[in-house]
Amino acid sequence: MLSSDKNNFTEGNILKKLSLFMLPVLGALILQAAYGAVDLLVVGRFGSTAGLSAVSTGSQLMNLVTFMVTQLAMGATVLIARYLGEKKPERIGAVLGGATVVFAILATVLFVLLVFFAHPIAVLMQAPSEALGLTTRYVRICGMGIFFIVAYNMLAAIFRGLGDSKSPLLFVLVACLINIAGDLLFVAGFKMDAAGAAIATVMAQAVSVVLAIVILLKKDLPFTLKKSDFRLNPQCRKFLQVGLPLALQEVLTQASFLALCAFVNRLGLTASSGYGVASKIVSFAMLIPSALMQSMASFVAQNVGASKPKRAKQAMFTGMGIGLVFGCAVFALVMLKGDVLAGIFSTDAEVVQKGFEYLKGFAPETILTAILFSMLGYFNGNNKTVFVMIQGLVQTLLVRLPMSYLMSIQPNASLTKIGLAAPVSTLVGVLLNTAFYLYFTHSQQKELQKAA
């Protein structure tokens, strides 16, 4: 049921429709990155260098968890959008109910791991000795609030699947404001350092989840949700077939960044803090490609469900154009003014310099991801998530990790050389995706010829 024209991606101007859907997604991602950046900013200004390192290392781990959940939830997004395109909304209730059970189980497992194994995890990430205790505390507190983090990302995926990207923007806006207030209270006011930042993050997520549930219950939904839907039903297998490959790929991708964090941590506290600052800038640089990928999956899935593959391809190329325009501008900003950007998060000149060093190597990534992420969104919408997983594993295990490790053990190791591992691996991903696109297009043409 696509009664609302604004949520119907199968007709109308592609650039306009995609842009209008993408803008709230981008806004939500900006606010998510902002409240992660606020943690680092407030701790950098009012906490200690050890606290800055703890938030940097701990947030890398929490990013892994968050992105894993987001990608797993993408399965629900794609399936909901597909059913809307096929005009079969009666199947959506079972998708939501089954997803709720699956994510509740996942949250329980993560709670046990993050709360009871926080110290071994911090050691495994090679947190500097001065920051080990603070890192452990940060991870443990975030682990206590993992149910809220998981629930928020699942609910946001449901709204996007329904073609509503504005509600998740509202949720994260509220979370961002609460997080800022919490950081100022606990870190600047009560001097709780990294632990205060973690408490503020959990509080913010909790409020956003409550708000999301209230809005979902009041929303005029194109389906009914029954008590019997809340079980491990056949729809679970369908959305997991889409989401699991993406989640696995994301876990390994984020694990590679955790490993990179560990490699950098071995270079000392200043390098660790500098990399943490650079990572926050990187998270902002990747916002438009990430928004394109998330939006593209819903956009393409609807059109595939409505048997409009040509329009789905046009959307992919439109996304690439949007991404390249902004990617080139971000490249210039990061490459030329990276030290100014790093100076926003720290007043320590050495930390700022180390952050700028990493950004110089990373900068080409801002252009390459404009192409890669639009293609990944297209393949996700086409339910080709196994390929998306495979190409991600190749990038991670065969390129990014080996290269970053080799660069980190050189006698003249620099963060610039380590940073180069990201764009090199993404270039490999672009080549793999281009080859698969040609194969996929050829296969579609053969199927059309057979049908004719």
Side-chain angles (χ1 to χ4, degrees):
M1 183 184 298
L2 294 170
S3 57
S4 175
D5 182 64
K6 65 182 179 181
N7 296 340
N8 181 4
F9 305 141
T10 61
E11 297 174 356
N13 182 277
I14 292 176
L15 177 60
K16 180 181 178 181
K17 290 266 185 174
L18 182 60
S19 298
L20 288 175
F21 183 68
M22 188 192 86
L23 282 174
V25 175
L26 176 61
L29 289 173
I30 289 173
L31 290 172
Q32 279 186 315
Y35 87 66
V38 165
D39 285 349
L40 207 68
L41 179 62
V42 175
V43 172
R45 297 282 175 174
F46 299 101
S48 61
T49 302
L52 190 65
S53 176
V55 172
S56 167
T57 304
S59 61
Q60 289 285 333
L61 175 66
M62 296 315 299
N63 282 343
L64 183 153
V65 171
T66 301
F67 289 133
M68 176 194 72
V69 173
T70 300
Q71 291 303 311
L72 188 61
M74 182 72 74
T77 298
V78 169
L79 200 57
I80 291 168
R82 183 75 58 84
Y83 285 149
L84 286 176
E86 293 175 352
K87 294 181 170 54
K88 297 176 181 177
E90 68 278 359
R91 298 184 180 181
I92 296 176
V95 177
L96 268 61
T100 301
V101 175
V102 169
F103 282 101
I105 295 170
L106 175 63
T108 302
V109 172
L110 290 172
F111 176 85
V112 172
L113 288 174
L114 295 174
V115 173
F116 295 102
F117 297 93
H119 182 73
I121 289 171
V123 172
L124 182 64
M125 293 178 66
Q126 298 190 29
S129 56
E130 306 96 318
L132 185 59
L134 288 173
T135 304
T136 299
R137 210 168 302 148
Y138 183 92
V139 171
R140 183 168 287 134
I141 293 169
C142 288
M144 290 176 181
I146 195 64
F147 288 96
F148 300 120
I149 294 172
V150 170
Y152 165 76
N153 285 284
M154 187 196 79
L155 289 164
I158 291 169
F159 279 100
R160 283 193 293 269
L162 293 170
D164 178 3
S165 57
K166 293 180 180 177
S167 294
L169 174 61
L170 174 63
F171 310 152
V172 77
L173 173 61
V174 172
C176 187
L177 294 174
I178 292 173
N179 189 64
I180 292 172
D183 277 337
L184 292 173
L185 176 64
F186 297 122
V187 180
F190 295 158
K191 307 297 181 185
M192 294 176 69
D193 214 355
I199 293 171
T201 296
V202 170
M203 283 177 53
Q205 292 281 7
V207 174
S208 67
V209 167
V210 172
L211 178 62
I213 292 173
V214 169
I215 291 179
L216 184 64
L217 292 174
K218 290 185 176 182
K219 194 175 179 66
D220 183 20
L221 299 171
F223 62 91
T224 55
L225 191 60
K226 304 183 294 292
K227 187 177 180 180
S228 59
D229 289 328
F230 292 90
R231 60 187 177 85
L232 294 174
N233 56 50
Q235 295 297 335
C236 293
R237 179 176 57 82
K238 290 184 178 181
F239 91 76
L240 287 174
Q241 283 177 339
V242 179
L244 271 178
L246 296 177
L248 178 59
Q249 178 227 330
E250 193 63 42
V251 166
L252 291 171
T253 299
Q254 293 301 319
S256 75
F257 288 117
L258 283 181
L260 176 56
C261 183
F263 299 157
V264 172
N265 282 345
R266 294 190 304 181
L267 302 180
L269 189 63
T270 304
S272 171
S273 298
Y275 172 69
V277 166
S279 294
K280 289 303 176 188
I281 296 168
V282 164
S283 69
F284 280 99
M286 292 294 99
L287 289 177
I288 289 177
S290 296
L292 278 168
M293 183 170 67
Q294 290 187 24
S295 305
M296 193 69 65
S298 296
F299 200 99
V300 169
Q302 264 198 33
N303 282 283
V304 170
S307 299
K308 294 187 176 182
K310 184 177 179 181
R311 183 176 171 85
K313 289 178 183 177
Q314 291 172 338
M316 180 188 73
F317 288 112
T318 301
M320 286 183 188
I322 295 171
L324 284 171
V325 169
F326 288 98
C328 291
V330 174
F331 170 82
L333 180 63
V334 169
M335 197 71 180
L336 301 176
K337 295 294 182 180
D339 53 343
V340 176
L341 296 174
I344 296 172
F345 296 97
S346 178
T347 55
D348 188 317
E350 287 187 59
V351 170
V352 169
Q353 185 56 37
K354 290 294 182 183
F356 189 24
E357 281 181 25
Y358 181 82
L359 291 173
K360 287 177 182 176
F362 173 86
E365 175 84 343
T366 59
I367 297 175
L368 291 168
T369 50
I371 300 170
L372 179 65
F373 281 27
S374 288
M375 298 185 88
L376 294 180
Y378 172 76
F379 290 130
N380 287 339
N382 273 285
N383 199 17
K384 299 298 178 184
T385 55
V386 172
F387 165 73
V388 172
M389 176 187 70
I390 292 171
Q391 65 86 38
L393 297 183
V394 171
Q395 286 186 65
T396 300
L397 301 180
L398 300 184
V399 184
R400 187 184 296 118
L401 268 179
M403 183 174 174
S404 58
Y405 175 71
L406 287 174
M407 292 298 100
S408 72
I409 62 174
Q410 299 302 311
N412 59 341
S414 73
L415 291 183
T416 299
K417 292 178 181 177
I418 294 173
L420 276 170
V424 170
S425 67
T426 300
L427 178 59
V428 172
V430 169
L431 296 175
L432 290 172
N433 277 267
T434 301
F436 187 75
Y437 173 76
L438 295 174
Y439 165 77
F440 181 61
T441 300
H442 180 67
S443 299
Q444 282 184 320
Q445 289 173 346
K446 285 180 68 176
E447 288 177 10
L448 288 172
Q449 289 172 356
K450 285 181 181 178

Short mmCIF file of all heavy atoms in Angstrom, two decimals, residues 396-422:
data_model
loop_
_atom_site.label_atom_id
_atom_site.label_comp_id
_atom_site.label_asym_id
_atom_site.label_seq_id
_atom_site.Cartn_x
_atom_site.Cartn_y
_atom_site.Cartn_z
N THR A 396 38.32 -5.93 3.56
CA THR A 396 38.77 -5.91 4.95
C THR A 396 39.95 -6.82 5.20
O THR A 396 40.99 -6.39 5.73
CB THR A 396 37.61 -6.32 5.88
OG1 THR A 396 36.54 -5.40 5.71
CG2 THR A 396 38.05 -6.32 7.33
N LEU A 397 39.79 -8.09 4.83
CA LEU A 397 40.78 -9.11 5.21
C LEU A 397 42.00 -9.16 4.29
O LEU A 397 43.08 -9.53 4.73
CB LEU A 397 40.11 -10.49 5.25
CG LEU A 397 38.93 -10.62 6.21
CD1 LEU A 397 38.35 -12.03 6.14
CD2 LEU A 397 39.34 -10.29 7.64
N LEU A 398 41.80 -8.78 3.02
CA LEU A 398 42.90 -8.91 2.07
C LEU A 398 43.61 -7.59 1.76
O LEU A 398 44.70 -7.59 1.21
CB LEU A 398 42.41 -9.54 0.76
CG LEU A 398 41.79 -10.94 0.88
CD1 LEU A 398 41.43 -11.47 -0.50
CD2 LEU A 398 42.73 -11.89 1.60
N VAL A 399 42.94 -6.47 2.10
CA VAL A 399 43.55 -5.17 1.76
C VAL A 399 43.75 -4.28 2.99
O VAL A 399 44.88 -3.97 3.38
CB VAL A 399 42.70 -4.42 0.70
CG1 VAL A 399 43.42 -3.13 0.28
CG2 VAL A 399 42.44 -5.30 -0.51
N ARG A 400 42.63 -3.86 3.63
CA ARG A 400 42.73 -2.84 4.68
C ARG A 400 43.56 -3.30 5.88
O ARG A 400 44.48 -2.60 6.32
CB ARG A 400 41.33 -2.42 5.15
CG ARG A 400 41.37 -1.22 6.12
CD ARG A 400 40.00 -0.88 6.64
NE ARG A 400 39.12 -0.44 5.59
CZ ARG A 400 38.00 -1.05 5.23
NH1 ARG A 400 37.63 -2.15 5.85
NH2 ARG A 400 37.25 -0.57 4.27
N LEU A 401 43.24 -4.49 6.41
CA LEU A 401 43.97 -4.97 7.59
C LEU A 401 45.45 -5.21 7.32
O LEU A 401 46.31 -4.71 8.06
CB LEU A 401 43.31 -6.23 8.14
CG LEU A 401 42.25 -6.04 9.22
CD1 LEU A 401 41.68 -7.39 9.64
CD2 LEU A 401 42.82 -5.32 10.43
N PRO A 402 45.79 -6.00 6.28
CA PRO A 402 47.22 -6.24 6.03
C PRO A 402 48.01 -4.96 5.78
O PRO A 402 49.12 -4.79 6.28
CB PRO A 402 47.21 -7.14 4.79
CG PRO A 402 45.88 -7.79 4.79
CD PRO A 402 44.95 -6.76 5.35
N MET A 403 47.42 -4.05 4.99
CA MET A 403 48.13 -2.81 4.66
C MET A 403 48.33 -1.93 5.89
O MET A 403 49.42 -1.39 6.11
CB MET A 403 47.38 -2.05 3.57
CG MET A 403 48.10 -0.79 3.13
SD MET A 403 47.29 0.02 1.73
CE MET A 403 48.29 1.52 1.63
N SER A 404 47.27 -1.76 6.70
CA SER A 404 47.40 -0.91 7.89
C SER A 404 48.40 -1.51 8.89
O SER A 404 49.17 -0.77 9.53
CB SER A 404 46.04 -0.70 8.55
OG SER A 404 45.45 -1.93 8.92
N TYR A 405 48.40 -2.84 9.00
CA TYR A 405 49.36 -3.48 9.91
C TYR A 405 50.80 -3.27 9.41
O TYR A 405 51.68 -2.89 10.20
CB TYR A 405 49.07 -4.98 10.03
CG TYR A 405 50.10 -5.72 10.86
CD1 TYR A 405 50.15 -5.55 12.24
CD2 TYR A 405 51.04 -6.54 10.26
CE1 TYR A 405 51.11 -6.20 13.00
CE2 TYR A 405 52.00 -7.21 11.00
CZ TYR A 405 52.03 -7.03 12.38
OH TYR A 405 52.99 -7.68 13.13
N LEU A 406 51.02 -3.49 8.13
CA LEU A 406 52.37 -3.32 7.57
C LEU A 406 52.85 -1.88 7.74
O LEU A 406 54.02 -1.64 8.05
CB LEU A 406 52.37 -3.71 6.09
CG LEU A 406 52.28 -5.21 5.78
CD1 LEU A 406 52.14 -5.46 4.29
CD2 LEU A 406 53.52 -5.94 6.32
N MET A 407 51.94 -0.92 7.53
CA MET A 407 52.32 0.48 7.68
C MET A 407 52.65 0.83 9.14
O MET A 407 53.50 1.67 9.41
CB MET A 407 51.19 1.39 7.19
CG MET A 407 50.93 1.35 5.69
SD MET A 407 52.34 1.89 4.67
CE MET A 407 53.03 0.31 4.16
N SER A 408 51.97 0.14 10.09
CA SER A 408 52.15 0.47 11.51
C SER A 408 53.45 -0.09 12.09
O SER A 408 53.91 0.38 13.14
CB SER A 408 50.96 -0.04 12.33
OG SER A 408 50.98 -1.46 12.45
N ILE A 409 54.02 -1.10 11.44
CA ILE A 409 55.25 -1.72 11.99
C ILE A 409 56.51 -1.23 11.29
O ILE A 409 57.61 -1.71 11.59
CB ILE A 409 55.18 -3.26 11.92
CG1 ILE A 409 55.08 -3.73 10.47
CG2 ILE A 409 54.03 -3.79 12.76
CD1 ILE A 409 55.16 -5.24 10.30
N GLN A 410 56.37 -0.29 10.36
CA GLN A 410 57.54 0.26 9.69
C GLN A 410 58.35 1.11 10.67
O GLN A 410 57.79 1.72 11.58
CB GLN A 410 57.13 1.12 8.49
CG GLN A 410 56.36 0.38 7.41
CD GLN A 410 57.14 -0.79 6.83
OE1 GLN A 410 58.32 -0.65 6.47
NE2 GLN A 410 56.50 -1.95 6.77
N PRO A 411 59.66 1.15 10.52
CA PRO A 411 60.50 1.97 11.42
C PRO A 411 60.07 3.44 11.43
O PRO A 411 60.16 4.11 12.44
CB PRO A 411 61.91 1.80 10.83
CG PRO A 411 61.87 0.51 10.08
CD PRO A 411 60.48 0.41 9.54
N ASN A 412 59.63 3.92 10.26
CA ASN A 412 59.18 5.33 10.15
C ASN A 412 57.66 5.40 10.07
O ASN A 412 57.09 6.20 9.33
CB ASN A 412 59.80 5.99 8.93
CG ASN A 412 59.45 5.25 7.63
OD1 ASN A 412 59.04 4.08 7.66
ND2 ASN A 412 59.59 5.93 6.50
N ALA A 413 56.99 4.56 10.87
CA ALA A 413 55.52 4.47 10.84
C ALA A 413 54.89 5.85 11.06
O ALA A 413 55.29 6.59 11.96
CB ALA A 413 55.03 3.50 11.90
N SER A 414 53.91 6.16 10.22
CA SER A 414 53.18 7.43 10.36
C SER A 414 51.70 7.17 10.19
O SER A 414 51.28 6.22 9.52
CB SER A 414 53.66 8.45 9.32
OG SER A 414 53.18 8.10 8.04
N LEU A 415 50.89 8.04 10.78
CA LEU A 415 49.45 7.89 10.66
C LEU A 415 48.97 8.16 9.24
O LEU A 415 47.93 7.64 8.82
CB LEU A 415 48.74 8.83 11.64
CG LEU A 415 48.89 8.49 13.13
CD1 LEU A 415 48.09 9.46 13.98
CD2 LEU A 415 48.45 7.07 13.42
N THR A 416 49.74 8.93 8.47
CA THR A 416 49.37 9.17 7.07
C THR A 416 49.41 7.89 6.26
O THR A 416 48.49 7.57 5.51
CB THR A 416 50.32 10.21 6.43
OG1 THR A 416 50.22 11.44 7.15
CG2 THR A 416 49.96 10.45 4.97
N LYS A 417 50.47 7.12 6.45
CA LYS A 417 50.60 5.85 5.72
C LYS A 417 49.54 4.85 6.17
O LYS A 417 48.99 4.10 5.37
CB LYS A 417 52.01 5.28 5.93
CG LYS A 417 53.10 6.10 5.26
CD LYS A 417 54.48 5.51 5.54
CE LYS A 417 55.58 6.35 4.88
NZ LYS A 417 56.93 5.83 5.20
N ILE A 418 49.26 4.83 7.47
CA ILE A 418 48.21 3.94 7.98
C ILE A 418 46.85 4.35 7.41
O ILE A 418 46.03 3.51 7.03
CB ILE A 418 48.18 3.97 9.52
CG1 ILE A 418 49.48 3.37 10.09
CG2 ILE A 418 46.97 3.21 10.06
CD1 ILE A 418 49.62 3.50 11.59
N GLY A 419 46.62 5.66 7.33
CA GLY A 419 45.36 6.17 6.80
C GLY A 419 45.10 5.80 5.35
O GLY A 419 43.96 5.69 4.91
N LEU A 420 46.16 5.58 4.57
CA LEU A 420 46.03 5.23 3.16
C LEU A 420 45.35 3.88 2.95
O LEU A 420 44.84 3.60 1.86
CB LEU A 420 47.41 5.20 2.50
CG LEU A 420 47.97 6.54 2.00
CD1 LEU A 420 49.42 6.38 1.61
CD2 LEU A 420 47.14 7.07 0.83
N ALA A 421 45.35 3.03 3.97
CA ALA A 421 44.76 1.70 3.83
C ALA A 421 43.27 1.78 3.48
O ALA A 421 42.75 0.93 2.75
CB ALA A 421 44.95 0.89 5.12
N ALA A 422 42.57 2.80 3.97
CA ALA A 422 41.13 2.94 3.73
C ALA A 422 40.82 3.20 2.25
O ALA A 422 40.05 2.45 1.64
CB ALA A 422 40.53 4.02 4.62
#
